[in-house]
């Protein structure tokens, strides 16, 4: 076989340098190295490798960049978990994390995390190795239509030369990398898939690798190259069309959903909302994932899900400013629908339709930009006094409902799920970010917390899957350094492979506390209307609710954790929570196990809702 003169080609920046050359293992490695280096120059700092032979050149190239340029390299045998981990890390860092996989079903396993990344606007870079076109569609092993698997979730699909990456010029590789990076960090950000055919021979000998390492020139940039087309910190008024405006100084309300913008723009968002509320006196209904709860400069209403269905339809609200996606609360959704009025929905650059109620005029240029673009006369207008009255009235209900919660959610004795949210909120230090798994943990936090502490609260509700929970938490921990995950038993079990990350998190000196609420299956389903009213045998003949919905599992979370060398503590009463947390603060990855009764806790939630009724009667406007 003809030897490939890689050293000559490395020096050359010609677009034709490598065309028509015979592929060799060295050429595959050099092309892979060039591609990853191009991403590194654009700002890539973290990469997850899943094992495979076809992706070998990319893996070796990543290993070289780890040694030479401090690329942070993670490894994972399970592609689904790898993608969720990368998603968590990308969410916390605000920059794309790359995932390298081999061909075949490895690629299909990435889809769940990409669906979430797409919906919640988180950048990811998927690099999948494939066979060259000569081996496609002819029965070759592990060769599938992987270039199309991720289509529905990706901002952009690109590919290397169908003859193999090594046949591409460095110039073409640079262009491919730039395009992928720009598309992933566009507005909204999201996943990008590069399918990369690699021809054989794939694997360089250790002797050739040594030669390459001796001669290859590394220039690791400390600052990423700035691309004009990646402009994630600024949204302007112009490119999103006419600015919608409220027509008068009528009373309104601000509804804030989970934050889906760039991390860099968040401080400006907060400033704008403080300014807007001070000016209008409109009340704010803030989702826990909005980051606004506990913010001392804002007065948020947080118990809305408990009382909105009990207030009169017309309380004088004539307009609604909706920021970002709809909060999880069903009562709030119903209330917005009934209230109608003039509604403006502002997203942070996401132009995809977000108003499933079909009531709002959507503008996608970002809230800060919207405030800055509002006409002077809006800011000169004095606030409508009715707004102040409505706000004070709602604040009064908020205080009364919070008092009711304090009276009814015991902080001692047997642990009840709604109380747990309130206890944890007060015990977890504010420098420990919290991730709430989908299902009851996120809803209990929304409804039953006191919201006087400014925690960073994460949740992945783009598609509200219970999959990938533990891997997402591990990914967040890799950036934040510490995290408390609050998860249901099924959600944790769904992603039990996520425990495999503990070794790498420990090496990073990261700390993760996983608090699992084991209520013997999907407690959320207890709220379904189809749930038989009693557990009596009578209903068994109608329907086996446990078998069809809640699906309790017999696996023991503590034994699973122990198999991964993770210590666990069983919390048996509310008084134990503090000491269990304190023990966990000094460890790397810990499981705290809380057993609850989903049947009783579903009743407790209902009971609290019914106790809100008299409060509302006393405080009708
Ligand atoms: C991937 C995925 N599969 C199924 C569902 C539907 N689902 C929503 S909540 C839930 C049960 C969650 O149970 P658990 O984690 O124990 O939390 P709990 O409801 O008990 O609070 C299921 C299966 C989902 N959201 N995502
Ligand atoms: Mg459960």
């Amino acid at each position: 076989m003809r030897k490939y003169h890689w050293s000559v080609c490395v020096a050359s920046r010609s677009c034709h340098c490598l065309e028509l050359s015979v592929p060799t293992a060295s050429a595959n490695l050099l092309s892979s190295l060039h591609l990853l280096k191009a991403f590194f120059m654009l700002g890539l700092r973290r990469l997850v490798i899943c094992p495979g032979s076809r992706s070998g050149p990319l893996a070796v190239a990543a290993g070289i960049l780890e040694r030479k340029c401090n690329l942070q390299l993670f490894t994972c045998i399970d592609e689904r978990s790898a993608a969720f981990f990368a998603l968590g890390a990308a969410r916390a860092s605000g920059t794309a994390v790359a995932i390298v996989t081999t061909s075949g079903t490895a690629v299909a396993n990435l889809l769940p995390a990409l669906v979430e990344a797409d919906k919640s606007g988180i950048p990811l870079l998927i690099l999948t190795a494939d066979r060259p076109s000569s081996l496609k569609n002819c029965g070759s092993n592990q060769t599938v239509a992987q270039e199309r698997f991720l289509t529905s979730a990706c901002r952009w699909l690109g590919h290397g030369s169908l003859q193999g990456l090594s046949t591409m010029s460095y110039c073409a590789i640079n262009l491919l990398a730039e395009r992928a990076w720009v598309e992933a960090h566009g507005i909204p950000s999201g996943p990008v898939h590069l399918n990369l055919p690699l021809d054989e021979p794939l694997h360089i000998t250790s002797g050739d690798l040594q030669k390459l390492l001796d001669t290859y020139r590394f220039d690791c940039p400390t600052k990423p190259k700035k691309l004009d087309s990646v402009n994630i910190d600024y949204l302007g008024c112009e490119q999103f069309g006419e600015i919608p405006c409220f027509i008068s100084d009528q009373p309104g309300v601000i509804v804030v959903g989970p934050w889906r913008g760039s991390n860099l723009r968040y401080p400006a968002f907060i400033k704008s909302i403080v300014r807007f509320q001070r000016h209008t006196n409109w009340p704010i209904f803030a989702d826990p994932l909005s980051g606004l709860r506990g913010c001392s400069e804002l007065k948020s209403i947080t118990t809305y899900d408990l009382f909105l269905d009990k207030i009169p339809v017309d309380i004088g609200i004539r307009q609604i400013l909706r920021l970002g996606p709809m909060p999880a609360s069903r009562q709030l959704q119903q209330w917005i629908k009934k209230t109608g009025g003039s509604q403006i929905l502002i997203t942070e650059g996401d132009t995809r339709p977000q108003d499933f109620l079909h009531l709002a005029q959507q503008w996608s240029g970002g809230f800060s930009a919207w405030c800055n673009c509002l006409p002077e006369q809006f800011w000169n207008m004095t606030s409508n006094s009715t707004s102040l009255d409505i706000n004070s009235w709602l604040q009064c209900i908020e205080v009364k409902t919070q008092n009711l919660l304090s009276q009814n959610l015991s902080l001692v004795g047997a642990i009840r799920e709604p109380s747990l949210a309130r206890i944890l909120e007060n015990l977890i230090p504010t420098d420990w970010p919290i991730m709430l798994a989908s299902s009851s943990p996120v809803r209990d936090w929304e409804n039953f917390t006191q919201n006087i502490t400014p925690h960073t609260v994460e949740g992945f509700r783009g598609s509200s899957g219970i999959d990938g929970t533990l891997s997402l938490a591990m990914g967040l921990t890799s950036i934040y350094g510490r995290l408390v995950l609050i998860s249901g038993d099924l959600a944790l079990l769904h992603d039990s492979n996520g425990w495999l990350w503990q070794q790498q998190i420990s090496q990073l000196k990261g700390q993760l506390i996983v608090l699992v609420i084991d209520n013997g299956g999907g407690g959320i389903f207890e709220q379904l209307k189809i749930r038989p009213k009693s557990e009596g045998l009578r209903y068994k003949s109608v329907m086996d609710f446990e078998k069809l919905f809640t699906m309790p599992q017999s696996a023991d979370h503590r034994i699973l954790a122990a198999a991964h060398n993770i210590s666990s503590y069983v919390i048996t009463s509310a008084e134990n929570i503090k000491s269990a947390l304190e023990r966990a603060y000094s460890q790397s990855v810990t499981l705290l196990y809380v057993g609850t009764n989903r049947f009783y806790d579903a009743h407790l939630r209902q009971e609290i809702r019914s106790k809100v009724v008299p409060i509302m009667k006393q405080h009708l406007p």
Side-chain angles (χ1 to χ4, degrees):
M1 186 176 295
R2 186 154 66 92
K3 268 271 178 196
Y4 180 80
H5 295 290
W6 48 264
S7 51
V8 177
C9 287
V10 169
S12 166
R13 291 281 179 261
S14 152
C15 275
H16 306 288
C17 171
L18 297 177
E19 273 171 14
L20 304 176
S21 60
V22 175
T24 67
S26 297
N28 276 328
L29 176 56
L30 281 167
S31 305
S32 301
L33 193 52
H34 192 83
L35 178 70
L36 295 191
K37 218 175 121 187
F39 281 127
F40 189 87
M41 285 175 151
L42 292 164
L44 180 74
R45 292 293 176 270
R46 289 164 202 93
L47 186 146
V48 186
I49 292 193
C50 303
S53 169
R54 185 64 49 175
S55 52
L58 290 160
V60 176
I64 294 173
L65 280 187
E66 181 192 29
R67 286 186 183 186
K68 301 276 183 181
C69 297
N70 282 332
L71 175 74
Q72 198 174 11
L73 199 56
F74 297 93
T75 59
C76 182
I77 56 165
D78 171 349
E79 288 79 7
R80 187 174 74 162
S81 171
F84 276 116
F85 177 91
L87 183 61
R91 160 77 204 173
S93 66
T95 308
V97 174
I99 303 138
V100 169
T101 78
T102 192
S103 59
T105 56
V107 182
N109 273 286
L110 303 171
L111 186 61
L114 266 58
V115 168
E116 177 61 32
D118 170 33
K119 285 283 208 142
S120 41
I122 300 173
L124 282 180
L125 207 56
I126 308 298
L127 308 175
T128 59
D130 199 358
R131 281 167 174 65
S133 54
S134 57
L135 292 174
K136 296 281 274 191
N137 298 315
C138 54
S140 171
N141 179 41
Q142 214 174 314
T143 310
V144 295
Q146 62 185 55
E147 57 276 36
R148 298 199 296 274
F149 284 174
L150 310 174
T151 312
S152 62
C154 282
R155 296 281 175 278
W156 185 66
L157 303 171
H159 60 81
S161 159
L162 299 182
Q163 280 73 51
L165 190 64
S166 65
T167 67
M168 289 176 77
S169 69
Y170 284 180
C171 179
I173 289 176
N174 285 343
L175 289 175
L176 189 65
E178 280 194 12
R179 174 84 193 266
W181 193 256
V182 168
E183 297 283 353
H185 293 91
I187 300 174
S189 299
V192 161
H193 179 194
L194 284 191
N195 196 51
L196 302 169
L198 286 150
D199 203 358
E200 292 175 26
L202 296 165
H203 305 295
I204 192 170
T205 63
S206 52
D208 281 350
L209 180 58
Q210 189 56 58
K211 256 196 260 168
L212 185 147
L213 290 174
D214 291 343
T215 50
Y216 192 85
R217 225 188 60 233
F218 276 90
D219 37 350
C220 304
T222 44
K223 259 196 166 174
K225 177 178 165 186
K226 199 126 182 93
L227 292 181
D228 289 344
S229 34
V230 178
N231 194 356
I232 51 177
D233 22 335
Y234 172 77
L235 291 177
C237 302
E238 310 79 26
Q239 69 259 46
F240 294 94
E242 200 179 322
I243 313 271
C245 233
F246 290 114
I247 33 172
S248 64
D249 66 341
Q250 299 270 307
V253 68
I254 309 164
V255 174
V256 194
W259 172 252
R260 294 263 167 83
S262 122
N263 296 355
L264 295 171
R265 285 207 315 276
Y266 192 67
F269 173 79
I270 299 254
K271 255 193 202 162
S272 303
I273 221 163
V274 170
R275 177 184 178 207
F276 191 88
Q277 191 186 35
R278 278 199 187 138
H279 183 70
T280 59
N281 284 314
W282 291 6
I284 298 181
F285 295 153
D287 186 272
L289 304 182
S290 67
L292 300 186
R293 290 188 174 193
C295 169
S296 57
E297 289 164 286
L298 289 170
K299 278 195 175 156
S300 301
I301 307 290
T302 64
T303 51
Y304 47 80
D305 191 76
L306 301 175
F307 69 72
L308 276 179
D309 59 335
K310 298 167 187 87
I311 63 175
V313 175
D314 187 1
I315 55 165
I317 298 288
R318 296 288 172 267
Q319 36 201 6
I320 303 180
L321 174 63
R322 291 164 50 189
L323 304 181
M326 182 67 87
S329 161
R330 293 208 185 90
Q331 304 301 347
L332 181 55
Q333 291 167 23
Q334 293 296 328
W335 182 79
I336 290 174
K337 202 168 164 183
K338 276 193 268 171
T339 302
S342 164
Q343 300 193 10
I344 294 175
L345 168 61
I346 298 181
T347 66
E348 298 297 313
D350 196 338
T351 54
R352 296 173 294 185
Q354 302 286 311
D355 180 26
F356 60 86
L357 297 177
H358 306 290
L359 291 171
Q361 193 180 350
Q362 180 172 332
W363 191 76
S364 307
F367 180 60
S368 301
W370 183 74
C371 287
N372 293 336
C373 301
L374 284 175
E376 267 307 296
Q377 83 199 69
F378 174 86
W379 296 108
N380 292 335
M381 204 159 53
T382 47
S383 146
N384 184 306
S385 64
T386 320
S387 297
L388 198 57
D389 294 344
I390 296 174
N391 200 354
S392 310
W393 177 67
L394 287 170
Q395 286 296 343
C396 175
I397 293 173
E398 168 80 4
V399 171
K400 299 270 172 178
T401 313
Q402 284 293 352
N403 289 343
L404 177 91
L405 293 178
S406 298
Q407 286 154 16
N408 285 270
L409 298 177
S410 173
L411 307 184
V412 292
I415 296 179
R416 310 299 300 270
E417 290 177 35
S419 314
L420 188 57
R422 215 167 169 83
I423 297 171
L424 289 172
E425 176 200 24
N426 288 312
L427 287 183
I428 297 170
T430 48
D431 58 351
W432 279 74
I434 297 167
M435 176 182 154
L436 304 170
S438 293
S439 203
S440 312
V442 74
R443 292 188 181 273
D444 282 347
W445 199 275
E446 178 171 34
N447 295 338
F448 302 115
T449 47
Q450 224 174 338
N451 303 292
I452 45 177
T453 44
H455 279 105
T456 299
V457 182
E458 298 281 8
F460 292 82
R461 296 196 54 84
S463 48
S464 297
I466 60 158
D467 44 354
T469 301
L470 187 50
S471 306
L472 283 164
M474 294 276 184
L476 289 171
T477 308
S478 74
I479 302 294
Y480 287 141
R482 46 171 62 166
L483 186 90
V484 178
L485 163 67
I486 305 172
S487 172
D489 52 314
L490 294 193
L492 189 61
L493 206 52
H494 202 295
D495 188 37
S496 58
N497 262 2
W499 288 123
L500 289 166
W501 288 103
Q502 77 82 21
Q503 242 181 320
Q504 292 173 80
I505 290 298
S506 300
Q507 276 162 13
L508 280 180
K509 307 223 177 310
Q511 293 184 286
L512 173 65
I513 301 173
V514 178
L515 189 143
V516 63
I517 304 167
D518 189 352
N519 54 13
I524 198 96
F525 299 127
E526 293 287 339
Q527 293 162 27
L528 297 182
K529 277 212 178 96
I530 199 170
R531 169 69 164 109
K533 293 281 174 288
S534 138
E535 288 181 303
L537 284 174
R538 196 154 64 87
Y539 293 95
K540 276 260 151 100
S541 57
V542 184
M543 175 188 56
D544 189 340
F545 188 74
E546 298 286 287
K547 181 173 181 179
L548 299 181
F549 289 93
T550 51
M551 299 191 194
Q553 303 293 308
S554 62
D556 187 327
H557 282 282
R558 289 158 293 178
I559 296 176
L560 266 177
H564 292 269
N565 240 338
I566 289 158
S567 20
S568 59
Y569 304 100
V570 179
I571 300 177
T572 50
S573 72
E575 293 91 324
N576 287 160
I577 300 175
K578 190 166 185 255
S579 58
L581 281 170
E582 277 165 1
R583 239 188 304 179
Y585 293 145
S586 58
Q587 298 181 20
S588 178
V589 180
T590 317
L591 174 71
L592 301 183
Y593 178 94
V594 180
T596 58
N597 183 313
R598 62 178 139 86
F599 186 72
Y600 294 152
D601 286 339
H603 277 270
L604 176 61
R605 292 182 186 100
Q606 281 312 321
E607 208 179 289
I608 289 173
R609 281 180 191 279
S610 64
K611 285 186 178 170
V612 177
V613 177
I615 295 182
M616 299 311 302
K617 283 196 177 142
Q618 272 172 24
H619 291 277
L620 285 180

